[in-house]
Amino acid sequence: MSILVLGGAGYIGSHTVYELIDQNHDVVIVDNLQTGFESLIHPKAKFYKGDLRDSVFLNGVFEKENIEGVIHFAANSLVGVSMKEPLDYYHNNVYGMMVLLETMKNHNVKYIVFSSTAATYGEPKEVPILEDFDTIPTNPYGETKLAMEKMMKWCEEAYDMHYIALRYFNACGAHPNGLIGELHNPETHLIPLVLQVPLKQRDAISVFGTDYPTKDGTCIRDYIHVCDLADAHIKAIHHLMDGHASNIINLGNGEGYSVLEIIKAAEEVTQQPIKTIYCDRRAGDPAKLVACNKKAQEILGWNPKYTNIHEIIQTAWNFYNNK
Ligand code: UDP
């Protein structure tokens, strides 16, 4: 029996595949390589290149492979782009999920772990954020992920499928093996962009907004290491396969850092000054997102191993220096 990882050539998907294979699972990857990279695909995984919205293709994969459970990462995930191209997000994310759930239903596959996001909450009334807080997304990205969560909920009622939606906060860092890490083209995420300055790939880092109601005026986020996320996905699929109930669970460290604090920590890790430019806010960004991670501890027995922001940034720095 295999675990199907949709988006297994992407950043978080590839780290999860490495961990699954380390734990002796058979892994099948589906990825259209739109944002994934062939270099991130584990050599022992079976890879099908294709788009999950292509139901003939996806049905073919389910026919050929003996799939026990699905981990779904294959979605668009950029707040800024989603504000400009909302329909792309609805098509890839929501329609993609529809085709996937339909295919799972046709092949009687019952378990799905889904990569959701803190963007489902929108601007929270307070932090840390609990899973039962209101979900009022401030951008189409969060809106589509919330719609995908709800599709799984109704499929559970109707078809007895079981799901865990993992709402993660800001994924970052790289595998300590130095082989895989965060790659996006174009890159839009804070930590890789900050590190491009000491790597001499850019002159300066832009800080999007300095007038937020936070301690230094810049946005606060909860940065969680990608290997800790991978670990949680595997615990979640085991949890479902062991017969436990569906759930929605936050994944974060429970600690917030401002954009300026991240830049300072990166200066300390790289031992180099990082030039900073202050800019206007980026549309769609909430001021503060910090997780309460108690539910993940209680339900999944998950505890993040990378709790030190310097250590997290160090793993990313090592990866970019090895490339
Ligand atoms: N950010 C920034 N400059 C950049 C990229 C990001 O100031 O060049 C900020 C962004 O506004 C947000 C935080 O850094 O407050 C994290 O952004 P990222 O895109 O990494 O993740 P997101 O929070 O959108 O998931």
Side-chain angles (χ1 to χ4, degrees):
M1 299 290 274
S2 303
I3 305 289
L4 171 64
V5 181
L6 295 135
Y11 173 41
I12 307 167
S14 62
H15 285 75
T16 303
V17 169
Y18 267 69
E19 189 59 37
L20 281 165
I21 288 174
D22 278 352
Q23 295 186 20
N24 294 317
H25 285 281
D26 289 327
V27 178
V28 175
I29 293 176
V30 163
D31 200 302
N32 63 5
L33 297 182
Q34 188 188 303
T35 54
F37 292 85
E38 225 150 346
S39 63
L40 298 181
I41 295 175
H42 195 295
K44 288 193 181 148
K46 194 155 178 193
F47 173 51
Y48 290 87
K49 184 173 175 212
D51 195 302
L52 86 157
R53 291 167 293 186
D54 177 348
S55 65
V56 173
F57 159 74
L58 199 64
N59 257 292
V61 175
F62 275 74
E63 258 154 40
K64 281 187 221 104
E65 302 294 338
N66 193 2
I67 293 163
E68 191 176 15
V70 171
I71 308 184
H72 181 26
F73 296 97
N76 291 339
S77 62
L78 301 177
V79 168
V81 181
S82 82
M83 296 291 284
K84 294 197 175 93
E85 299 292 350
L87 293 177
D88 281 357
Y89 274 64
Y90 276 87
H91 197 262
N92 196 21
N93 294 2
V94 178
Y95 179 63
M97 181 62 116
M98 203 188 102
V99 174
L100 172 60
L101 292 172
E102 204 165 40
T103 312
M104 288 175 64
K105 174 181 160 247
N106 291 341
H107 292 268
N108 202 29
V109 176
K110 297 279 183 197
Y111 307 114
I112 175 166
V113 173
F114 170 56
S115 116
S116 190
T117 169
T120 52
Y121 294 109
E123 191 79 61
K125 59 179 191 284
E126 59 187 25
V127 295
I129 301 171
L130 288 152
E131 288 83 350
D132 60 4
F133 276 23
D134 289 344
T135 44
I136 312 169
T138 53
N139 52 64
Y141 164 57
E143 201 74 72
T144 57
K145 289 267 173 154
L146 188 59
M148 294 159 88
E149 287 187 358
K150 290 191 174 158
M151 287 167 90
M152 295 188 297
K153 175 183 129 150
W154 295 114
C155 286
E156 165 160 56
E157 300 248 335
Y159 317 127
D160 194 37
M161 282 181 184
H162 304 286
Y163 70 93
I164 292 186
L166 296 171
R167 288 183 177 162
Y168 27 92
F169 286 62
N170 287 62
C172 57
H175 200 290
N177 69 12
L179 297 174
I180 54 171
E182 185 164 11
L183 293 179
H184 297 109
N185 190 11
E187 188 53 75
T188 64
H189 292 105
L190 182 64
I191 291 178
L193 287 176
V194 167
L195 293 178
Q196 283 179 4
V197 182
L199 287 166
K200 315 274 183 263
Q201 294 165 2
R202 70 172 50 235
D203 287 342
I205 180 74
S206 301
V207 174
F208 296 148
T210 53
D211 59 348
Y212 284 98
T214 60
K215 54 191 167 187
D216 61 18
T218 66
C219 283
I220 291 186
R221 294 288 181 273
D222 180 332
Y223 293 88
I224 177 76
H225 196 275
V226 63
C227 290
D228 284 323
L229 292 178
D231 178 40
H233 285 77
I234 297 165
K235 287 190 160 71
I237 197 83
H238 286 158
H239 188 77
L240 291 176
M241 294 193 304
D242 287 345
H244 296 288
S246 295
N247 228 318
I248 294 178
I249 298 175
N250 286 342
L251 296 179
N253 261 313
E255 197 166 343
Y257 292 93
S258 72
V259 174
L260 293 180
E261 285 172 334
I262 292 294
I263 296 170
K264 183 162 178 287
E267 288 184 324
E268 286 159 3
V269 168
T270 63
Q271 309 261 298
Q272 294 186 54
I274 293 174
K275 192 172 157 200
T276 302
I277 299 170
Y278 298 104
C279 307
D280 289 343
R281 291 181 177 198
R282 185 174 69 177
D285 272 342
K288 259 192 212 176
L289 295 172
V290 180
C292 169
N293 63 13
K294 284 215 169 58
K295 193 170 173 186
Q297 293 175 24
E298 285 164 15
I299 305 268
L300 300 178
W302 175 80
N303 275 297
K305 293 185 189 69
Y306 290 87
T307 52
N308 177 306
I309 194 67
H310 290 83
E311 198 190 339
I312 291 174
I313 294 173
Q314 184 74 54
T315 62
W317 182 237
N318 293 348
F319 170 66
Y320 294 125
N321 279 297
N322 277 345
K323 265 200 313 137

